[in-house]
Amino acid sequence: MKKISLIFISLLVLFIIFTANKPVKQQKSVIWNLTDTLQIGKIRPVIIGKPQITTDLPYKGLSFNGAGDGVIMPVNPVEGWKEFTVEVLFYPSSKGIPAQRFVHFQDKAGNRGLIETRVRPEGKWCLDTYLHVGKTDKGVTLIDRNKLHPCDEWYWAALVYDGKIMKHFINGAEEDSGEIDFGPMESGVISLGVRLNQIYWFMGQISEIRFHPKALSPNKLQKI
C-alpha cells in the first residue's frame, strides 16, 4: 500500500508541474504558517504520511517523523520573481538522518531550489542550499561544514538570491555565497519535510515559511 501511495503522489506532483501554466502576478511577500494540515496559506496541501500539529513552546508547527511525513503545495511561490528570499523557521532533530531536504521548490522547466541540513553524529548540523538551472549541469551548492549548530533548537534559515548571487543565512548571519544565473522560475510545486521525489526525509518541526519577491538585506531577515 505504501508503495502505491508513493507512486500516486509522484504522479500527482508531475501532473501539477506540467499542467500549471497560469502566470503568477503575485509580487508581494507570502507567509505560510504550518498550523493546519487542511489549509496552508489558503491552499489545500497534499499530505504524505501523518505529520502532526505540535504546540511545543515557543512555536507551533508541523512535526515530521523523518521516515514518511511530508507536505506538497501545488504552487511555486517564487514563480516569475527575478530575485527572491525564502525564510523558514524550523527545528532540526538530532535523531534525523545525515542528509535531509526540508524545502524543495521546482518548476515545470526543471529549475529547482532546495534548503537542506547535514546532521553529524554528535548532534550538530550545518546548512546546505542548492539552486539548479533546468535540464542543464549548471547548479550551485552552498555548504560550510565548519559552521555547525546544535540540533534540537529553533532556527531561522534563509536562502537569498539577488539575480546574480545566492547566499544563505542562519538567524540573519551569512554563512556562504556563490554566483549563478538563475532566471525567473515558471509555475511548479514545493514540498516541505522531504524532497519532491520522496527521499531524504526531514525529522523535526517546521513552523513558518516566508517568500519575498526581493533579496532581503541581512538586517531585514528573521532571527531567533
Side-chain angles (χ1 to χ4, degrees), residues 12 36 41 62 65 68 74 97-100 109 134 151-152 157 167 183 186 198 210 214 218:
L12 178 61
D36 188 346
L62 274 183
N65 67 3
I97 61 175
Q100 303 174 61
C151 293
D152 306 319
K167 300 178 180 180
E186 300 180 38
Q198 295 153 60
R210 302 183 178 195
K214 58 183 178 181

Side-chain angles (χ1 to χ4, degrees), residues 34 61-62 64 88-90 102 154 192-193 202 204-208:
L34 277 65
L62 274 183
F64 300 84
V88 56
L89 176 59
F90 75 112
F102 64 104
W154 285 96
L192 307 175
F202 171 70
Q205 299 176 38
I206 302 176
S207 175
E208 185 177 328

Side-chain angles (χ1 to χ4, degrees), residues 11-147:
L11 291 174
L12 178 61
V13 168
L14 291 173
F15 174 79
I16 293 171
I17 289 176
F18 289 104
T19 59
N21 52 24
K22 184 178 180 180
V24 70
K25 296 181 180 180
Q26 175 70 39
Q27 289 296 325
K28 297 181 180 179
S29 295
V30 176
I31 298 177
W32 291 346
N33 292 298
L34 277 65
T35 56
D36 188 346
T37 56
L38 297 179
Q39 180 174 277
I40 298 175
K42 298 183 180 180
I43 299 170
R44 187 173 184 84
V46 176
I47 302 297
I48 306 171
K50 295 181 179 179
Q52 301 295 309
I53 300 295
T54 64
T55 56
D56 297 342
L57 293 177
Y59 304 106
K60 183 179 180 180
L62 274 183
S63 180
F64 300 84
N65 67 3
D69 290 343
V71 174
I72 296 176
M73 300 289 287
V75 294
N76 178 16
V78 303
E79 177 189 347
W81 293 353
K82 295 180 180 180
E83 56 182 85
F84 57 82
T85 299
V86 180
E87 299 180 285
V88 56
L89 176 59
F90 75 112
Y91 178 102
S93 172
S94 57
K95 298 178 181 179
I97 61 175
Q100 303 174 61
R101 278 70 163 160
F102 64 104
V103 177
H104 178 184
F105 50 100
Q106 182 167 324
D107 68 12
K108 60 184 181 181
N111 301 300
R112 64 185 183 272
L114 292 103
I115 305 177
E116 315 174 11
T117 59
R118 294 294 183 270
V119 178
R120 295 174 58 90
E122 67 268 27
K124 293 185 177 181
W125 68 278
C126 66
L127 185 64
D128 183 336
T129 59
Y130 181 62
L131 291 179
H132 184 89
V133 181
K135 298 177 180 179
T136 72
D137 59 356
K138 297 179 181 179
V140 171
T141 299
L142 301 183
I143 184 171
D144 187 336
R145 298 183 185 275
N146 294 315
K147 293 183 177 177

Side-chain angles (χ1 to χ4, degrees), residues 169-181:
F169 301 76
I170 293 294
N171 290 333
E174 182 179 336
E175 293 198 340
D176 207 351
S177 65
E179 185 173 346
I180 184 172
D181 184 8

